[in-house]
């Protein structure tokens, strides 16, 4: 399945220049008036700038909500087209049938999630090739759901959970701070709870409506959410297939998202270890020399920050080189610093060129 | 499936402090003697430092090769244990049998990759629960293979491809440079070629050995690599199951890796767009003020770099705040810069405390 771990939320966050709620006031010794290099509030919202500069970037840089709508629309189109296709060729699909339209939706969902029970199987070359087309596009769509919509939904619920947990403790500020710090952990716990609920719901449903014994019901649930789908046990009644359409989509996506969060937690843990190591490593004279970008013999605060960020692996030498080039281009008066005079020189040269 | 897009290679790269081959010489106006904040060559290798400081970090921060060995070992253990388990309970598994051991390996692979044809199905409570355990651990293992070993193998082949492509053009340096710039593209092309070869091999095999017609063979291939596995067509001969054990593992992982690279390409494209926009955006006086960390009225090169990196979303305000605090702690003589005297003060205070 396609992966885009936190891709949209990340982009969403990086394009939001509003001061982050858990910014600590770090000028504790009062030597730096403002140590935030964040664009200040009077700068127009980058998203608007991007939208103005790059055509079509509204789609590329769209925030969470529009991409959720986009995914929902695509899913509806996919299921609609799938249902029509498989309903038209329903006589070329063999196996235990219930109701024409219902079986078509059910077959479509079982195919797109790659569960593939085999209780309904295409038995003509046309339907076989149609199934091939639908499984590939279905996989891509599930990947899109995982990268865009699923994370969005979990984040929404997460906000509610943290709000209810911290109701007596603090205001909006504390909630957002708590969320920022332990975001992945909360998401992981939430998805785990959701997954357990879906497993229990599926098992109970199969036990009562499909009349399977408890082990068989649990086995069918596991075989479904993992997309294994041996097919010896599946949903054979009308009611069962109605339930299956929603439950299979939700539970397979939920398990995949669970694994994604697990990987994210692991990555975060490694990153924390690395940051911890970089922060606790003593500076040596060699470090001082290496960090001294302008070779003036001392390391200023921004030089120190760049050096440590590089050690943490957050930035690469290429990024620094690229920006250094850009800086030297902008520094028209060659003073070694950018000032209002450089901006004025740049404007006048633009006017003349 | 678990995702850890480029996790290991990234960690591997960020822990390797050797100057990167495509570092551009940016001191083109000669005003900055050395604009690399990279630790210079006489600094001991961070990996060794990490290894010395954190027990067990060799495993966490191990480079590509050991993690590949680790994954291969885990896969062997998994398949070994799976084969023994399913061989012991072979009488509680129903369906078309060929050879005891072979069927056990085949069932194990079909389960761990979540293909689940259903040509062999567990038919006792014990085997059903065993299959549940094996499918969950199998999914985790496939995730691990995708995050660690698969990318490593593709990277190895990539080096060979680029070498052969650039044989007449340049030396080692050009090859590495070309690789760094278009890494994801080469990987994507390679995995696409590999996937097509696996599809052709699978289709041909099913056509000749399993005597399926061409459409059925292709349909079975698609149904397998997507892990759909309806199970109406599968590997039923001894020879077929020997082939299937290797081919199913390779092709399902290959398709998943293909989707991962597709997502990576997409993320890279977005990142490029954003960097392009940040670099081409004119600096305003508001930007100048926001970038001026130490409020001296001018923006130095490192201040400019930090500001732009933040706009690019590569770093967050939290990172800057954290490091600013660290800097102020280290700046014992409160001069606003770090120098040898700060280091000496730190050493002597350590001695006294």
């Amino acid at each position: 399945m396609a992966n885009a771990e936190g891709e949209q939320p990340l982009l969403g966050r990086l394009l939001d220049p509003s001061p982050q709620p858990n910014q600590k006031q770090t000028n504790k010794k009062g030597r730096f008036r403002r140590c935030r290099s964040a664009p200040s509030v009077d700068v127009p919202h980058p998203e608007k700038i991007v939208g103005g500069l790059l055509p079509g970037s509204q789609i590329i840089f769209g925030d969470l909500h529009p991409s959720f709508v986009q995914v929902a629309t695509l899913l509806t189109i996919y299921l609609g087209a799938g249902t029509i296709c498989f309903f038209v060729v329903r006589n070329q699909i063999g196996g235990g049938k219930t109701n024409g339209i219902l079986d078509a939706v059910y077959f479509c969902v079982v195919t797109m999630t790659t569960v593939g029970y085999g209780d309904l199987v295409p038995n003509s070359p046309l339907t076989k090739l149609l199934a091939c087309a639908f499984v590939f596009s279905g996989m891509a769509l599930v990947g899109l759901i995982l990268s865009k919509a699923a994370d969005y939904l979990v984040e929404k619920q997460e906000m509610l959970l943290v709000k209810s947990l911290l109701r007596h403790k603090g205001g909006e500020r504390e909630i957002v701070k708590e969320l920022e710090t332990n975001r992945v952990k909360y998401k992981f716990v939430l998805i785990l709870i959701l997954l357990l609920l879906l497993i229990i719901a599926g098992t109970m449903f199969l036990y009562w409506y499909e009349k399977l014994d408890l082990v068989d019901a649990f086995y069918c649930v596991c075989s479904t959410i993992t997309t294994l789908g041996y097919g010896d046990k599946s949903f054979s009644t009308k009611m069962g297939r109605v339930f299956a359409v929603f439950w299979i989509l939700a539970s397979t996506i939920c398990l995949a998202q669970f694994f994604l969060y697990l990987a994210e937690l692991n990555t975060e843990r490694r990153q924390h270890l690395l940051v911890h190591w970089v922060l606790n490593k003593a500076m040596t004279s060699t470090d001082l020399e290496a960090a001294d970008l302008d070779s003036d013999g001392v390391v200023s605060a921004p030089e120190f920050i760049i050096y440590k960020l590089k050690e943490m692996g957050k930035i690469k030498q290429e990024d620094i080189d690229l920006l250094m080039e850009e800086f030297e281009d902008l520094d028209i008066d060659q003073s070694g610093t950018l000032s209002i005079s450089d901006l004025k020189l740049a404007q006048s040269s633009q006017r003349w060129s």
Side-chain angles (χ1 to χ4, degrees), chain A:
Chain A
M1 280 159 202
N3 144 67
E5 185 194 325
E7 184 180 289
Q8 194 56 32
L10 182 79
L11 251 182
R13 253 173 275 152
L14 70 89
L15 278 171
D16 181 11
S18 53
Q20 285 167 32
N22 60 339
Q23 279 173 357
K24 290 170 206 151
Q25 283 303 108
T26 52
N27 31 354
K28 57 171 183 180
K29 285 176 194 167
R31 265 179 293 132
F32 294 92
R33 186 179 53 88
R34 59 195 299 280
C35 45
R36 294 186 190 168
S37 64
S40 45
V41 278
D42 49 344
V43 178
H45 196 291
E47 207 160 300
K48 284 175 202 149
I49 307 174
V50 176
L53 288 180
L54 298 167
S57 57
Q58 208 61 46
I59 301 140
I60 301 167
F61 297 109
D63 65 350
L64 240 50
H65 195 66
S67 76
F68 175 71
V69 173
Q70 182 197 351
V71 166
T73 315
L74 276 175
L75 184 63
T76 313
I77 294 173
Y78 179 90
L79 286 179
T83 308
I84 293 169
C85 284
F86 292 120
F87 181 72
V88 169
V89 296
R90 65 189 177 284
N91 296 325
Q92 297 166 45
I93 293 178
K97 308 268 182 87
T98 60
N99 167 289
I101 294 273
L102 182 59
D103 286 350
V105 194
Y106 173 73
F107 183 71
C108 197
V109 168
V110 166
T111 301
M112 81 170 284
T113 54
T114 79
V115 171
Y117 289 126
D119 52 352
L120 290 174
V121 282
N123 54 19
S124 76
L126 172 69
T127 42
K128 280 171 186 174
L129 293 177
L130 210 57
C132 290
F134 270 92
V135 67
F136 280 111
S137 49
M139 274 181 97
L141 184 55
V142 169
L144 205 67
I145 294 173
L146 284 172
S147 78
K148 293 192 168 180
D151 191 71
Y152 169 72
L153 288 176
V154 175
E155 229 164 71
K156 280 236 153 186
Q157 293 176 317
E158 179 193 45
M159 187 65 103
L160 292 177
L161 175 76
V162 177
K163 260 185 188 160
S164 68
L165 283 177
L166 292 182
R167 205 172 31 188
H168 308 293
K169 278 196 187 166
E172 195 74 23
R173 211 184 147 79
E174 277 70 26
I175 292 167
V176 180
K177 187 172 168 179
E178 176 65 22
L179 258 179
E180 282 291 326
T181 323
N182 291 311
R183 181 168 290 274
V184 188
K185 268 182 209 160
Y186 277 115
K187 283 192 200 172
F188 181 77
V189 170
L190 259 173
I191 207 87
L192 189 64
I193 293 169
L194 197 62
L195 192 61
L196 288 176
L197 288 179
L198 281 167
I199 289 176
I200 292 168
T203 311
M204 288 298 110
F205 184 91
L206 285 165
Y207 178 71
W208 275 313
Y209 284 86
E210 296 278 335
K211 309 287 175 210
L212 299 182
D213 70 47
L214 266 182
V215 171
D216 278 353
F218 179 70
Y219 160 74
C220 178
V221 163
C222 289
S223 146
T224 304
I225 62 175
T226 57
T227 80
L228 183 58
Y230 288 129
D232 50 340
K233 307 282 171 212
S234 62
F235 296 87
S236 53
T237 63
K238 256 190 203 176
M239 186 60 193
R241 289 194 176 172
V242 171
F243 174 79
V245 165
F246 299 97
W247 181 79
I248 291 176
L249 254 181
S251 58
T252 52
I253 285 168
C254 195
L255 184 68
Q257 193 67 44
F258 169 83
F259 276 112
L260 284 178
Y261 287 149
L262 197 66
E264 211 175 313
L265 262 184
N266 193 34
T267 309
E268 210 178 49
R269 192 180 53 84
R270 284 171 189 226
Q271 188 60 32
H272 274 303
L273 273 177
L274 188 64
V275 168
H276 184 81
W277 171 71
V278 169
L279 285 180
N280 283 290
K281 205 188 98 190
M283 285 286 275
T284 64
S285 55
T286 330
D287 287 326
L288 269 192
E289 204 203 319
D292 185 14
L293 271 170
D294 56 5
S295 318
D296 59 356
V298 290
V299 173
S300 66
E303 283 173 340
F304 175 80
I305 292 173
I306 291 175
Y307 182 73
K308 286 288 186 181
L309 284 173
K310 220 191 134 186
E311 275 198 319
M312 287 176 189
K314 302 226 176 198
I315 55 175
K316 280 186 275 179
Q317 184 62 42
E318 295 146 64
D319 304 323
I320 300 170
D321 291 342
L322 194 69
L323 287 168
M324 198 57 125
E325 255 180 80
E326 173 83 3
F327 178 82
E328 302 199 355
D329 284 343
L330 285 174
D331 183 19
I332 298 165
D333 62 6
Q334 303 218 1
S335 60
T337 53
L338 290 188
S339 58
I340 298 287
S341 85
D342 288 310
L343 297 188
K344 282 184 185 152
L345 281 169
Q347 275 175 343
S348 61
S349 72
Q350 259 187 336
R351 218 169 285 146
W352 288 106
S353 65

